[in-house]
Amino acid sequence: MTTVRIAGLGKRFGATVALDDVELNLGTGLTGFLGPNGAGKTTLLRCLATALHPDRGRLDVLGLDPAIAQQRTALRRRLGYLPQHPGLYPNFTAFALLDYVAVLKELTDRRERHREVRRVLEEVGLSDRAGVKVRNLSGGMRQRVALAQALLRNPDLLILDEPTVGLDPEQRMGFRALISRLGEHHTVLLSTHQTEDVGALCERVIVMRDGRAVFDGTPPALAALADDRVWLSARPPDGSRTYWRTTDGRYRTLGERPDGGEPTEPSIEDGYLTLLGPVTTGAQR
């Protein structure tokens, strides 16, 4: 079921083109957005979250037009948004901060509102930190508070921009479990630089570059772009910087076959790098 329609969306910041005639239809489930810095991911999500107005094009989000003030207000009641750099009041406790956001989201009944705040704290594993001030929480815990505010009122559309920043492996596993459950019945849009999160969670992945969607398909289809492009060899390849030494002492190369190279299965990251062009940074990871 299509819940978001994006038609000819464009946005500029001065001379910089952030979005260039983006055309997408999105539906229930988890969709991951990948792309280098400046590709337009955050700008697109901010438009969908009604935090930014596009210069041209049309949006239909949950059957509503955010360009119309009344419909934009109705849409905000039905979406949850975790921005890339969430602003959290450091002197509020986790509970008080979420209670304040819940008031802004028009949960006016105190008992119902507090029940909802306790629910989202439980969802993100912070029930035992409810009374701790935000400034005294770890970076990962602050990120989970930011996620909790996006979950208030069980939104039909959940927009998450770099949601796993600062999370340790255990916290990331909990995040994946939570988001995968939400994606069963809701539209979840996830922008990240973590290709492994997209591969683990999303049934659809969109790669953006220069304000355009240059790939739209499944994670396996993205990985398949690197078929016959990934090799394992006993020695590092000559003249290549797109390799690293693996834990078993062999060298994994993306690109042309090195001497003695044996083909190996590509990952979603390999497909992503193949799509966007050669790696120009350091050889080893």
Side-chain angles (χ1 to χ4, degrees):
M1 175 183 175
T2 300
T3 54
V4 177
R5 291 180 172 85
I6 304 168
L9 208 68
K11 182 68 180 177
R12 298 176 68 99
F13 297 101
T16 301
V17 178
L19 296 176
D20 188 7
D21 291 324
V22 176
E23 301 267 351
L24 290 170
N25 289 329
L26 309 171
T28 303
L30 280 86
T31 299
F33 287 83
L34 295 173
N37 291 331
K41 306 184 302 298
T42 291
T43 300
L44 177 59
L45 294 191
R46 290 185 67 199
C47 289
L48 292 173
T50 75
L52 189 67
H53 296 293
D55 297 329
R56 64 181 186 278
R58 279 187 57 84
L59 288 173
D60 183 305
V61 185
L62 303 177
L64 299 165
D65 183 352
I68 300 172
Q70 186 175 7
Q71 294 190 36
R72 182 166 61 248
T73 299
L75 174 58
R76 287 172 175 170
R77 296 188 182 107
R78 299 176 58 191
L79 68 81
Y81 177 42
L82 172 59
Q84 185 175 14
H85 303 291
L88 303 176
Y89 297 110
N91 291 322
F92 280 42
T93 65
F95 189 97
L97 176 64
L98 294 172
D99 189 46
Y100 173 68
V101 175
V103 170
L104 297 179
K105 290 191 173 186
E106 302 178 337
L107 284 169
T108 55
D109 182 271
R110 185 174 183 271
R111 181 175 296 179
E112 178 188 356
R113 187 174 70 247
H114 286 186
R115 183 164 54 245
E116 177 67 359
V117 169
R118 286 190 291 269
R119 181 188 72 82
V120 295
L121 282 169
E122 177 67 26
E123 288 274 31
V124 300
L126 287 177
S127 294
D128 61 343
R129 295 292 189 271
V132 179
K133 288 187 176 182
V134 169
R135 70 185 182 200
N136 294 326
L137 296 173
S138 68
M141 289 179 181
R142 288 195 294 270
Q143 187 70 0
R144 284 189 280 161
V145 171
L147 175 59
Q149 65 80 28
L151 298 177
L152 287 165
R153 295 195 66 166
N154 194 25
D156 296 315
L157 171 63
L158 185 60
I159 300 172
L160 306 173
D161 197 354
E162 296 291 347
T164 58
V165 171
L167 300 186
D168 63 31
E170 182 180 1
Q171 293 166 350
R172 181 171 289 177
M173 182 65 69
F175 165 81
R176 288 179 179 178
L178 171 60
I179 298 305
S180 64
R181 291 197 303 272
L182 292 170
E184 294 176 8
H185 305 290
H186 304 270
T187 300
V188 181
L189 309 181
L190 168 66
S191 173
T192 182
H193 286 97
Q194 303 295 330
T195 55
E196 64 269 27
D197 284 342
V198 171
L201 285 170
C202 300
E203 53 260 42
R204 181 179 178 188
V205 56
I206 295 167
V207 179
M208 297 192 68
R209 179 174 57 189
D210 298 329
R212 289 180 172 269
V214 295
F215 176 88
D216 184 355
T218 65
L222 179 57
L225 297 180
D227 281 347
D228 300 321
R229 297 277 295 167
V230 187
W231 313 92
L232 290 174
S233 59
R235 300 181 61 185
D238 294 330
S240 173
R241 292 178 62 83
T242 57
Y243 73 89
W244 63 92
R245 189 172 184 271
T246 65
T247 56
D248 64 1
R250 291 188 293 176
Y251 293 85
R252 194 177 193 276
T253 301
L254 174 63
E256 297 300 319
R257 182 176 183 175
D259 290 341
E262 300 176 355
T264 189
E265 184 176 355
S267 67
I268 182 175
E269 182 179 48
D270 296 321
Y272 170 77
L273 293 173
T274 298
L275 175 69
L276 295 186
V279 177
T280 58
T281 54
Q284 300 184 356
R285 302 182 178 186

